[in-house]
Structures are given as structure tokens and as C-alpha cells.
Amino acid sequence: LGGLENMQMVPVSSQGFGNFFEGDCYIVLYNKSSGQSTDIHFWIGNASSQDEQGAAAIFVTQLDEYLGGSPVQHREVQGNESPRFRSYFKNGLIYKKGGVASGFHHVDTNVYNVLRLLHVKGRKHVTAREVEVSWNSFNNGDIFLLDMGKAIVQWNGPQSNRREKLKAVLLAQDIRDRERGGRAQIGIVEGGDERDSPELMKVMMAVLGQRSGQLKEATPDDKPDQVQNNNVRLYHVFENSGNLVVQEVATQPLTQDLLHSSDCYIADQRGSSVMVWKGKQASKEERREALNRAMGYIKAKNYPASTSVEVMTEGGESAMFKHLFKSWRDKGQTQGLGSTYSVGKIAKVDQVKFDVMELHARPELAAQQRMVDDASGDVKVWRIENLELAEVNPSTYGQFYGGDCYLVLYTYQRSGQQQYILYMWQGRHATKDEITACAYQAVNIDNKYNGAPVQVRVVMGKEPRHFLAIFKGKLIIFEGGTGRPGVVNPDGGARLFQVRGTNELNTKATELQARASSLNTNDVFLLKTDQICYLWYGKGCSGDERVMGRAMSDVLSKQDKQVVMEGQEPAEFWVALGGKAPYASDKRLQREEPPHSPRLFECSNQTGQFRMTEVDDFAQIDLDEEDVMLLDTWEEIFLWVGNSANQYETKEAWNCAQEYLRTHPAGRDPDTPIIFVKQGYEPPTFTGWFSAWDPHKWSVSLLQPLFVDLNNSNLNKSPVGISGGGYRAPGGPMSSPPVYRVHGDLSPRPSTPTSPSTQRAQTSVSMNLSPSSNFSPSSLLLINKSPSELPQGVDPSQREDYLSDVDFENLLGTGRSDFRRLPKWRQSDLKKKAGLF
């Protein structure tokens, strides 16, 4: 990500990703981890100058030429960003006042001299805008974050909903972890029950002053997304004697043969979006001027300045563009990694064989492949143990457990200088404390190397290509358990691993539920039992994928190997998987390229009006239990209904699916099957479009975000509809749900703020652990006591046995029966954190 400073591009540090100054323009380069496509976005702040906007457009054109003309270019305007752009910043966008003079590219970790108020809006894609630090900025319907450096107070408007509150918490945590090194503390105030948070309200009053009068009513959310517009026109755009000529070619439904390689075209969806297509044989001048011509077209049509603009080259068309055509066939299609059948990553551009020797000779190839080098540098790995760093045995490098967090330091040479990349890998089942400690320890390592490392946060299952490459085809991700030495993970029987990749630089094995329903006809799977390791080859996998599957099996198991071809499985194979069952084996999934990419939409009326919002680069985690989701796989329409979706949404979704087909610009068959799917009962024809589908996801309380009031009177309260209990990941121990706790009082201490926009005293907040007001008197005799201080007859090593059931669950975050099923090391960790040691 880079921004413009004095009409020059300046890189933005990773800590600043997601922060945008309203007076500036930014350029965002995004390479998919598969290396198959590149997107260039240039973002325009509402307060940026015309000169800056023009400079940004020039830089985008130059960058596009430098990368061989293959990227898709997107113009983004503040407040009207595309779903794809917003998807890069999962925790939200923060709009900051000012521009270069305000500090522009300075987003420093561990800087606490901060005072700002963020107005947070959005359910799926969150935006936060800096507003005046005053009660006048508040309203009853939205959420506000009062950021004071060492403490962040989240105030939830009385009319805000659960999803909005959760998204705001994730944004606050992201600010804490990314900008404060995990050291800031977070408190939550429910605007409708402020009396329940007296200490936090004292903090807010100290900063904002006394509130006078009523707060403003809720402001309406942004207008519903324009899902599609069936009025599509295709124009041939060219210059004649210095004049821009726009000549209509056709209206919908469009066909691919209308596009000629020697020309440039504009597809116009009645102003909701403008897409420019550049033929490969068009003149260099025509290609270079494509973006400017799109802007000239928008002005000529009197369309809003915020109109979405995409510019693409022949062979690198976006999925949205292809959806405008009745049919679409890519030239020179090649078999990919298997991921082309899921997560919406279907579209391909020219397939260039990755040659690491060309990286330095061809930097544009390095950018397209997202590889800083050939992955031959030095690797050092640490695991978070007891919130501290513990070195990992090099013989186990590449083995990552879902119950752990890891730091991976990669060192390489560039132009004779040492360069560093620090990956922070977060296991899906790691505790909140471990994730926070991982961010904290990353800051320590970063400081040790004087801030030189590039820090990359890696969420389990979303590993970038270079991360895969440094482990040379030996990357194995275990769903649960721990890699700590001396800890024996429970034997859960057979274990199933999905292998994806065609060479050492892009291969990984991911553990899935050992069930037949986890199989996919396009991939290689390893089934490890006590006696043998099966290599299952799906009909859709390639020869290279089979070779990598064989190599991965040697890393995973020293047992005998048996190759099993799809359709020729022995009975023992199905027995190990708990019996034969349907899986993603639809013949349509075996094609090298489906005719169109799948698209996912969220259907919701939680904002007071029914709206459909597209989810870009989707995964299972994007299926929201409170909504209805529409999955368009072209030949079928799936309506997925979450368990908490209301009847109005369900009914309206049916009507919307029919309207979606009727108005589709490609002239879709109105009789296309519409399939109604309930949460928890998804067929393989649905789950096959998602990567690494977890059939037990929604029965797992650990994966549900727990939402509690952070105040003295309502500690450890789980939200309505979320049950307690633990979850046993395959091959791992039972783990308890994370619980946010803040005990004791909040004492404001005034200090001097750096913000010139306010004269009010900044408040520094300390949160001290003091359990005295939250547990029964008998339990208090057991917490944080030395053995000599315990009541007579109490076994110091088993003091949890003397707690009341309520205090047991509040202290340890799980029930007694679940606790006893945990491994000893996990029990000890929980007891230590609870003061029972």
C-alpha cells in the first residue's frame, strides 16, 4: 500500500494498513496468494486535491505498464469503496482527518499519546471516521470508539445491533494489537445501560465533559448496494482527430465475440459501474488512456464522481465483467491448484510458469508471484508458550498446530543488505491471551532488529504464497492440538489431510474432519490411520498435485503408503472415515474452468430495509447465522438460511433470488434451480464451493465471539444465544471459550494530548485485577493464595475442586466435566491464569 506525498508515491507501513487520510490519495496493490491475478486500486479521499487525484491516476497507469498490463485497475472513492477493496481490510477502514501535514505515513506501534473519537458504521464492511471529540458527535444508532492510547472505550448506541457491536470490537482489538503492540485495554459501555458501567462513564466524562441534552437520533445507513443493473450497454471508445468518440455496439445480453483485440470498450451498467476492456492488440496510446477515457465518459454522462470504475486487459477480466456476458471462455486455460473450484477464485490470467531465477531479472514477475525471493533464506520459528517465546525444534519446522501461535522470522539478502519478514501465525483455537502475546512478542522482535522486519499477520488457513514456499512443500496445518514438547495430543483415530499445490513453492496440507464428506474430487487427500497412510487421488487432480501429495505423505507418516484412486476405494478406507457419504464430486466441479465464478451475497434487513451486499473473496466464515446468504454458481442459486435469520429475510430472499435471475444482465434462465439450504444441513454441492469446509463450525462455542459487558456488575456474561462449553478440534484437546474480563476500577489520570484539535485533557486509564467483588467469600479464600494461606484440609494442587460451580466456570471459562477432559498442561495453564496455583 502506498500513498501520495508531494506528488510522489510513498510506501505505507503495514501498521498503517486500513488507515486513510481524507486529504490524500492511496494506491493499493493486491496479489492473490495463488499468483493468478493482480488488482490495483487507487483510493481518493474526499478532501484530496485534483492534482493529487491526477497524479494517482498517472502512477496507476505506470504501475500497470510495469506489471505488463495484466492487473485489473479499480478507482475507489471514500465512502463508496467496492466490496473487493473493503475485503482486504477485514477489521474495517479508518478515515482520518487531514493529510500529509497531519503525519500521513506515521502509524507507529507503542505510541500512546493519542486522543480521538471514531464513528463506526457497518455490519459486513466497517468504516470508522474521525469526528470531533465531543458528545455532539454521538447518536443513538451507531457505535463510537473513544481512543485514549492506553485504553479504548467502545460506546454502543442503544439502537445498534449485535453484529455491529461485534465488528466494532474486532476493530478496537485490531487497533490495540496493530498500533499499540497489544498493550491497550478495551472497555465497553452499552449506551442504553450506562449506569451499569459507572467507572467507564467517569472516564468518558473526564474526556468529553458532562453531557447536556439528548443525543441525536440514529443516522441512516448507506444506501443498499446495487447488486446489478440489467440495463447494460457496450460502447467502442476511440479518438478521432483529438476528439473522444463513444459508439454504441450492443445492449444486453452481451456475447464475448463482440470484443475485438484491436480495440478498447466500455461496459456501462446505467452508471452503477463503468468497466473498461483493453484489447491486447490495441495501440499503446489507447491502452494508456483507458482510465482517463473512463473518467471523461463519466463526466459526459453526468454520472456521480463516486461511480465505480474498473479497467482490465484482455485475458485478465474480473469476475464481475464476465458476469455481464451470456457465456465466457478463457483462452489457453490450464489446470490450476484445485483452488479454482472454491472461494470464488476462478478467473485466471495468462499462466506463467514460476521460475525463481527470473525474480531479480524480472521484478514484475516477482510482484505478480508475490515472492520477495526464491525462499532460500534463513528461517527461525518460535511458539508462544506461557505467553513467552519458545524456540521450535528445526526438525519440526513447517508443522503448525491450531492450538498454538507462532512467530516465523525469515531472513534474506537483497542488494547485499539483510532483509527480514516476520510472520505472526495465529492458530484458530489459540486463546485470546496467546494471540495478544504473539502481537506483543512480535513488537519485541521488531525492536530487536530496529524496526527492519516486514510484519505479516497470518490467520490459520490464509497463508500467503511466500509463507508456503519457505517450508519447501512440507507445510502441515493441524486443526487442533499443540506442538509443545512433552505434550501428547489425544489420539482421535484416523486423521485426514487435504493437499493442495503443484510444487515445493505452493504446497500445503490442511487437516480436515476425518469424514467422507470432507473429500473433494479435485484434490489429493492423505488419510492416516494407525496401520497405514492412504493417498487418495481425486479425478480432478493433476499429475503435479499427485507428486506433491506423495512427498507430503512421507513428511506426515513413516507408515506404509497405499494409493487409492477415486472410485476404487477399499472397504477399509471408508471404515476409517466413519462410513461412505456424499462429498463434493459433482462433475461440474471437475472442469478446468467453470463458465463463471461463483458469487456470494448477504441478504439482510437488520438496517431496517432489505438489502443485498456482495461478499468478495468469500469463505465459510462469511456465512452469517443472522442472515440469509445467496450463492450464485451460475447453474444453480443456493439460498443459505442462518439459524437466527428472521422470517421476513427468509421470505424476501426467495423473492430476491427470482428478481436476481430476472434482472441479470447476462439474460439468465429464470427457471434456474433455486436451492434452499438450512444452516447445519449443507449438501456437498454447496460446501464444495468453499475451501476446507468445517461441518462442525456452528456447534463450536470456541469459534463464536463472546460478547460481554466490561464492567463490574455484569462480568463474564455470555450473550443470548451463545452456549458455553468447549470444543475438541480433530487431534486436539478440549478447549474452553475465551472470556473477556476486566476487574476493579478505572482511575483517570490527566496527561497532555498531542491532538491539536482539542484542548480537553487526555485520560490515561489503568485496569487493575481485583476479584473481590465478583466471587463468593469461600472462593476468595482459594484465589491467589500461597499453600500456607489456604484453609485447613484444602489440597493446594486441587483447589479448583473446592470452588462453587458458578465460580468454577467464571474463573476457568469452562465447566467441570469439560475441564477434566483437558490435558494436564492445559489445565495447569488455566489454573495459573485464574490464580489457582
Side-chain angles (χ1 to χ4, degrees):
L1 191 154
L4 290 182
E5 180 178 354
N6 298 324
M7 303 305 165
Q8 297 296 318
M9 279 219 301
V10 177
V12 175
S13 68
S14 59
Q15 288 91 352
F17 286 9
N19 291 270
F20 293 88
F21 282 92
E22 296 180 339
D24 289 320
C25 295
Y26 293 79
I27 296 174
V28 178
L29 177 66
Y30 179 76
N31 288 295
K32 287 191 175 181
S33 58
S34 60
Q36 292 178 354
S37 64
T38 302
D39 292 271
I40 301 174
H41 302 257
F42 77 99
W43 183 91
I44 298 173
N46 287 340
S48 63
S49 68
Q50 288 294 324
D51 288 342
E52 285 178 310
Q53 295 177 26
I58 292 173
F59 280 123
V60 167
T61 301
Q62 292 174 345
L63 184 59
D64 178 71
E65 291 181 353
Y66 181 73
L67 295 175
S70 63
V72 178
Q73 302 171 34
H74 309 259
R75 180 176 179 270
E76 311 283 356
V77 178
Q78 179 183 340
N80 295 275
E81 295 86 357
S82 65
R84 167 158 298 203
F85 184 83
R86 292 172 183 263
S87 73
Y88 303 152
F89 309 97
K90 296 295 185 184
N91 291 316
L93 303 175
I94 299 178
Y95 303 141
K96 307 180 78 170
K97 295 289 186 183
V100 176
S102 301
F104 179 46
H105 56 286
H106 297 293
V107 180
D108 298 323
T109 305
N110 305 331
V111 172
Y112 305 109
N113 210 4
V114 175
L115 178 60
R116 62 178 177 175
L117 182 65
L118 296 175
H119 181 186
V120 183
K121 291 183 72 70
R123 298 177 61 253
K124 177 63 72 175
H125 299 300
V126 172
T127 59
R129 184 168 55 90
E130 286 188 0
V131 294
E132 180 189 359
V133 184
S134 164
W135 285 114
N136 294 331
S137 300
F138 285 68
N139 67 62
N140 286 314
D142 294 324
I143 296 173
F144 295 82
L145 298 180
L146 181 59
D147 183 2
M148 298 166 286
K150 290 187 178 180
I152 301 171
V153 178
Q154 174 176 329
W155 185 91
N156 297 328
Q159 297 170 25
S160 61
N161 60 48
R162 174 183 171 275
R163 182 73 182 277
E164 292 170 327
K165 295 175 184 179
L166 173 58
K167 284 292 188 178
V169 162
L170 295 176
L171 176 61
Q173 291 174 341
D174 187 55
I175 294 172
R176 176 197 66 191
D177 296 341
R178 191 152 48 90
E179 298 186 21
R180 310 291 151 73
R183 296 184 178 93
Q185 299 194 50
I186 300 171
I188 298 178
V189 176
E190 291 296 337
D193 300 293
E194 292 178 344
R195 293 180 181 178
D196 293 339
S197 309
E199 300 300 331
L200 288 173
M201 286 304 298
K202 286 181 183 178
V203 173
M204 295 188 70
M205 294 293 186
V207 175
L208 302 170
Q210 292 295 320
R211 188 168 61 204
S212 59
Q214 298 293 318
L215 295 179
K216 292 178 289 188
E217 287 305 306
T219 57
D221 282 318
D222 297 335
K223 61 182 179 181
D225 293 359
Q226 294 289 331
V227 175
Q228 61 192 4
N229 191 317
N230 67 331
N231 189 332
V232 180
R233 297 178 183 271
L234 184 69
Y235 297 93
H236 177 208
V237 183
F238 58 96
E239 277 196 11
N240 186 5
S241 302
N243 297 317
L244 179 66
V245 178
V246 179
Q247 185 176 46
E248 183 173 327
V249 176
T251 58
Q252 84 288 345
L254 305 178
T255 55
Q256 192 176 357
D257 58 5
L258 294 170
L259 303 173
H260 300 289
S261 295
S262 58
D263 295 317
C264 293
Y265 298 86
I266 285 180
D268 179 9
Q269 289 187 272
R270 199 191 285 170
S272 62
S273 71
V274 171
M275 301 183 184
V276 183
W277 185 88
K278 302 181 295 183
K280 284 187 174 180
Q281 297 174 22
S283 68
K284 187 175 181 179
E285 186 64 25
E286 279 189 302
R287 291 162 59 84
R288 181 180 294 160
E289 289 297 315
L291 183 58
N292 289 334
R293 288 177 178 175
M295 297 309 302
Y297 175 83
I298 287 175
K299 289 181 181 178
K301 287 283 190 176
N302 290 319
Y303 289 158
S306 59
T307 300
S308 169
V309 177
E310 282 189 13
V311 181
M312 65 209 73
T313 298
E314 179 182 0
E317 295 85 0
S318 67
M320 287 283 290
F321 184 79
K322 293 178 184 179
H323 262 256
L324 301 179
F325 291 78
K326 185 73 174 178
S327 62
W328 190 275
R329 178 174 295 277
D330 286 323
K331 297 178 181 178
Q333 294 177 353
T334 60
Q335 182 69 28
L337 304 182
S339 60
T340 54
Y341 314 101
S342 56
V343 205
K345 299 180 180 178
I346 307 292
K348 292 183 178 177
V349 296
D350 291 342
Q351 299 298 308
V352 181
K353 183 171 178 60
F354 182 70
D355 182 355
V356 296
M357 301 303 293
E358 294 188 54
L359 280 173
H360 297 294
R362 294 182 59 199
E364 73 276 10
L365 180 63
Q368 291 171 7
Q369 298 293 343
R370 212 178 188 183
M371 297 284 286
V372 297
D373 71 342
D374 61 0
S376 62
D378 295 327
V379 180
K380 190 169 185 179
V381 183
W382 296 271
R383 181 172 42 249
I384 301 297
E385 295 183 13
N386 298 321
L387 309 186
E388 300 293 336
L389 288 178
E391 289 191 23
V392 173
N393 188 327
S395 66
T396 63
Y397 279 9
Q399 298 177 25
F400 291 81
Y401 291 82
D404 292 326
C405 287
Y406 298 84
L407 288 173
V408 178
L409 182 66
Y410 181 76
T411 307
Y412 65 102
Q413 293 277 340
R414 188 177 66 191
S415 302
Q417 297 289 327
Q418 292 269 57
Q419 306 289 329
Y420 306 95
I421 301 177
L422 182 60
Y423 292 103
M424 296 166 281
W425 190 91
Q426 301 174 357
R428 185 176 294 121
H429 309 299
T431 66
K432 290 290 183 183
D433 287 342
E434 288 168 334
I435 293 174
T436 301
C438 186
Y440 175 79
Q441 296 294 349
V443 172
N444 289 341
I445 294 177
D446 184 69
N447 291 337
K448 180 179 177 181
Y449 290 90
N450 298 318
V454 174
Q455 298 183 38
V456 182
R457 183 168 54 179
V458 180
V459 177
M460 178 177 171
K462 300 285 187 178
E463 294 78 14
R465 177 161 184 172
H466 187 261
F467 187 86
L468 272 59
I470 64 179
F471 295 106
K472 306 297 190 296
K474 298 179 180 180
L475 179 61
I476 302 175
I477 299 175
F478 297 91
E479 176 64 20
T482 178
R484 301 187 186 194
V487 177
V488 179
N489 292 310
D491 184 6
R495 305 184 76 168
L496 183 67
F497 297 84
Q498 180 183 38
V499 182
R500 281 187 167 174
T502 56
N503 56 58
E504 285 189 349
L505 297 176
N506 62 13
T507 298
K508 69 176 177 179
T510 305
E511 184 174 12
L512 305 181
Q513 289 284 334
R515 297 287 183 268
S517 58
S518 298
L519 298 174
N520 189 309
T521 192
N522 304 292
D523 295 315
V524 175
F525 286 80
L526 304 179
L527 177 61
K528 186 177 182 296
T529 69
D530 293 336
Q531 294 80 29
I532 196 170
C533 181
Y534 294 101
L535 279 83
W536 186 85
Y537 294 150
K539 293 178 180 178
C541 69
S542 68
D544 288 339
E545 290 173 314
R546 296 180 185 185
V547 170
M548 293 312 301
R550 166 67 74 171
M552 189 67 77
S553 70
D554 292 335
V555 177
L556 184 66
S557 173
K558 304 302 180 186
Q559 299 166 313
D560 292 337
K561 313 299 190 303
Q562 179 179 341
V563 173
V564 175
M565 305 301 294
E566 182 179 6
Q568 301 176 24
E569 299 86 356
E572 295 80 8
F573 177 85
W574 296 119
V575 170
L577 289 175
K580 197 170 183 178
Y583 59 87
S585 58
D586 194 314
K587 290 182 179 180
R588 283 167 294 179
L589 297 179
Q590 296 175 22
R591 297 176 181 171
E592 290 187 355
E593 292 285 346
H596 288 280
S597 305
R599 299 172 71 186
L600 182 71
F601 299 88
E602 177 189 51
C603 310
S604 172
N605 73 331
Q606 290 209 9
T607 59
Q609 56 183 149
F610 188 83
R611 60 191 296 177
M612 287 181 66
T613 306
E614 183 162 11
V615 181
D616 193 78
D617 194 18
F618 63 83
Q620 184 183 2
I621 195 172
D622 294 309
L623 297 176
D624 189 343
E625 311 183 62
E626 297 182 348
D627 291 327
V628 176
M629 312 293 290
L630 184 149
L631 177 66
D632 179 7
T633 65
W634 196 261
E635 295 186 26
E636 295 168 327
I637 299 289
F638 290 93
L639 282 179
W640 180 91
V641 181
N643 287 337
S644 301
N646 60 50
Q647 289 184 349
Y648 176 81
E649 289 173 343
T650 305
K651 178 183 176 181
E652 198 63 27
W654 275 106
N655 299 331
C656 225
Q658 294 169 334
E659 183 70 6
Y660 173 84
L661 287 171
R662 189 184 68 80
T663 62
H664 198 283
R668 298 281 289 278
D669 182 355
D671 294 328
T672 298
I674 300 176
I675 302 171
F676 189 81
V677 178
K678 290 186 178 180
Q679 178 184 337
Y681 297 91
E682 297 84 1
T685 50
F686 177 85
T687 62
W689 299 102
F690 295 80
S691 179
W693 179 272
D694 179 4
H696 300 289
K697 178 182 185 298
W698 291 290
S699 61
V700 178
S701 62
L702 176 65
L703 300 183
Q704 300 282 7
L706 292 188
F707 216 55
V708 298
D709 293 335
L710 299 183
N711 55 66
N712 288 335
S713 60
N714 286 309
L715 282 168
N716 309 323
K717 186 184 293 182
S718 296
V720 176
I722 295 182
S723 59
Y727 165 62
R728 186 184 301 281
M734 179 71 74
S735 52
S736 57
V739 178
Y740 296 97
R741 293 192 184 93
V742 175
H743 303 281
D745 59 4
L746 300 172
S747 52
R749 294 192 299 272
S751 61
T752 305
T754 57
S755 172
S757 62
T758 177
Q759 301 299 317
R760 231 183 285 282
Q762 182 185 4
T763 299
S764 175
V765 177
S766 63
M767 301 183 183
N768 301 313
L769 188 66
S770 172
S772 58
S773 61
N774 300 292
F775 302 104
S776 64
S778 60
S779 295
L780 290 174
L781 298 175
L782 307 170
I783 303 171
N784 293 321
K785 303 293 184 182
S786 66
S788 61
E789 296 176 301
L790 293 174
Q792 188 174 3
V794 172
D795 182 353
S797 65
Q798 301 293 328
R799 62 181 81 188
E800 68 275 8
D801 291 344
Y802 304 88
L803 294 170
S804 68
D805 289 342
V806 173
D807 288 347
F808 187 102
E809 190 159 347
N810 281 339
L811 268 174
L812 298 169
T814 185
R816 292 186 191 273
S817 59
D818 289 341
F819 179 81
R820 293 191 182 104
R821 289 197 292 267
L822 295 173
K824 293 296 183 184
W825 68 266
R826 181 63 177 149
Q827 292 182 11
S828 298
D829 271 1
L830 290 177
K831 288 165 61 175
K832 185 174 181 180
K833 293 173 184 176
L836 300 172
F837 55 90

